Amino acid sequence: MPSALPVSLLPAASRRQFLVLAGLAAAATACGTATASPGGGKEVTKLRYQGSVGAVTLPELAQDLGYFGNVTLDWVGNTISGPQDIQSAATGQTDFGGAFNGSVVKLIAAGAPVKAVIGYYGVDQASYEGYYVLEDSPIRSARDLIGKKVGVNTLGAHYEALLDIYLQRNGLSPSEIAKVEPLVLPPVNTEQALRQKQIDVAVLGGILRDKAVAAGGIRPLFTDFDLLGAFTAGTYVLTNRFLKANPTTSRIFVTGVAKAIEWARTTPREQVIARSVDIVRKRGRNEDTSALQYWKSAGVAETGGRISDAEFQLWIDWLVSHGDIKAGQVRAADVYTNSFNELSAR
């Protein structure tokens, strides 16, 4: 899941219908923490959001660095997944949320009037998810996965999407892909399930990957970086109504997050970690900071989290191939805007 230092975007969903939102379009008209008017009314300056236990989100980092000016964050709890986080934003329970770009596309296809405004997590040489098998496993290729179980953090999101793309690119037919079984497991239990042979492949990232690799006895079948190279995988969204009613606040928020991305990109890793540990300790929620020591990068591909068509088209195509949305139902260019990001042109 993903929004955090270390990066963690852990969406939760079902395989084919990971976002069913009854009455979402109507509910999404309520957002923000105060009445605001594009015609000159008072804008919202306190943004409600969900955090992540033991982690520091980019907005939290931006606020600590002083990039938000008079705009402040109002923590209302911790998110359980990316889809849940953006649903909360769409229905007005929070003012912004972040998720895997495929989840954002599905949300918009379901009728939610939201817009992606900035990328916040992704994949690079330092931050990636690996699909691991036991060292002595007979699995050596995509075709060897037919009839096998793959342990993922959720269904219908990043991990399953990358698995499907890997299988497709290696020549498996839809009927063959259907025989590869993604199995939902809590990330902290995935390595153990692999070692006990309850699953055949484990998707591991961040601290869980590093600890598992250090323990030995496993090897990567492939990684999402191997498959697609560096790419931004998730974005923050705000409702269209919020953007219209609060253009100045939206610009401050998006540009502040963009500055935080670049600060984390250009600051020595040890300083980023130290700052993150300090932020967690200052908020006083009795959280373990040990995972922060494994942070390596946010993985955001473009300067300041700038969004491009390609970052959404890949997942639109995947959702169409899954039958989750219809061809032409969602256009990549309509999903996002860079207009609130002052760093997007740099």
Side-chain angles (χ1 to χ4, degrees):
M1 50 128 180
S3 71
L5 303 174
V7 175
S8 63
L9 181 66
L10 304 178
S14 65
R15 180 176 176 85
R16 294 292 177 248
Q17 293 178 318
F18 67 92
L19 219 47
V20 178
L21 303 175
L24 180 60
T29 59
C31 69
T33 60
T35 301
S37 168
K42 185 178 180 181
E43 292 193 19
V44 169
T45 57
K46 181 179 287 187
L47 303 180
R48 298 161 301 151
Y49 79 103
Q50 297 180 109
S52 183
V53 178
V56 177
T57 68
L58 284 166
E60 289 170 332
L61 178 63
Q63 177 174 251
D64 194 69
L65 290 167
Y67 294 153
F68 284 166
N70 69 332
V71 173
T72 60
L73 299 178
D74 180 17
W75 176 72
V76 299
N78 292 317
T79 183
I80 59 171
S81 71
Q84 183 273 333
D85 199 29
I86 58 176
Q87 286 178 44
S88 295
T91 56
Q93 299 171 66
T94 58
D95 295 310
F96 67 87
F100 164 61
N101 284 341
S103 298
V104 174
V105 170
K106 192 72 180 289
L107 184 71
I108 291 172
V114 299
K115 191 81 73 174
V117 292
I118 187 169
Y120 75 97
Y121 93 95
V123 171
D124 60 19
Q125 287 182 308
S127 298
Y128 59 89
E129 310 299 328
Y131 293 65
Y132 288 87
V133 299
L134 294 175
E135 190 68 52
D136 60 357
S137 170
I139 298 174
R140 298 282 175 179
S141 69
R143 191 157 293 279
D144 293 334
L145 290 177
I146 296 175
K148 300 298 191 295
K149 293 181 173 64
V150 181
V152 299
N153 67 314
T154 186
L155 297 177
H158 187 133
Y159 290 1
E160 187 182 6
L162 268 296
L163 174 63
D164 279 2
I165 291 172
Y166 170 73
L167 297 172
Q168 290 168 5
R169 291 189 176 185
N170 281 276
L172 272 69
S173 67
S175 61
E176 290 172 330
I177 291 174
K179 296 176 183 177
V180 181
E181 182 183 357
L183 185 67
V184 176
L185 293 170
V188 295
N189 300 131
T190 306
E191 177 193 353
Q192 181 182 11
L194 176 66
R195 294 189 187 278
Q196 293 179 346
K197 299 185 178 181
Q198 296 171 335
I199 57 175
D200 304 288
V201 183
V203 187
L204 301 168
I207 180 175
L208 299 176
R209 179 197 64 231
D210 290 349
K211 286 186 172 182
V213 170
I218 64 173
R219 58 179 168 81
L221 178 63
F222 73 97
T223 72
D224 49 9
F225 180 74
D226 293 336
L227 188 63
L228 299 177
F231 65 97
T232 297
T235 49
Y236 285 124
V237 304
L238 292 91
T239 64
N240 297 334
R241 186 184 181 198
F242 187 95
L243 292 169
K244 183 178 180 180
N246 303 278
T248 300
T249 295
S250 299
R251 186 174 299 278
I252 290 171
F253 169 74
V254 174
T255 301
V257 172
K259 290 178 179 178
I261 290 170
E262 293 310 306
W263 182 88
R265 196 195 304 274
T266 58
T267 300
R269 177 173 175 268
E270 295 74 17
Q271 292 183 33
V272 177
I273 293 172
R275 186 101 190 198
S276 299
V277 170
D278 184 58
I279 291 171
V280 170
R281 287 176 176 168
K282 284 190 299 186
R283 66 195 187 197
R285 300 177 198 158
N286 195 31
E287 299 166 273
D288 182 2
T289 62
S290 60
L292 293 169
Q293 306 301 322
Y294 289 81
W295 181 84
K296 295 176 181 177
S297 81
V300 178
E302 299 294 333
T303 299
R306 177 181 174 82
I307 306 171
S308 67
D309 282 8
E311 291 168 358
F312 281 101
Q313 192 60 53
L314 176 67
W315 311 119
I316 290 172
D317 293 342
W318 176 67
L319 289 167
V320 170
S321 71
H322 260 216
D324 292 315
I325 64 174
K326 297 178 181 178
Q329 184 178 350
V330 179
R331 293 179 61 252
D334 297 333
V335 174
Y336 70 92
T337 177
N338 288 309
S339 62
F340 295 92
N341 188 343
E342 294 179 0
L343 270 61
S344 65
R346 299 181 187 180

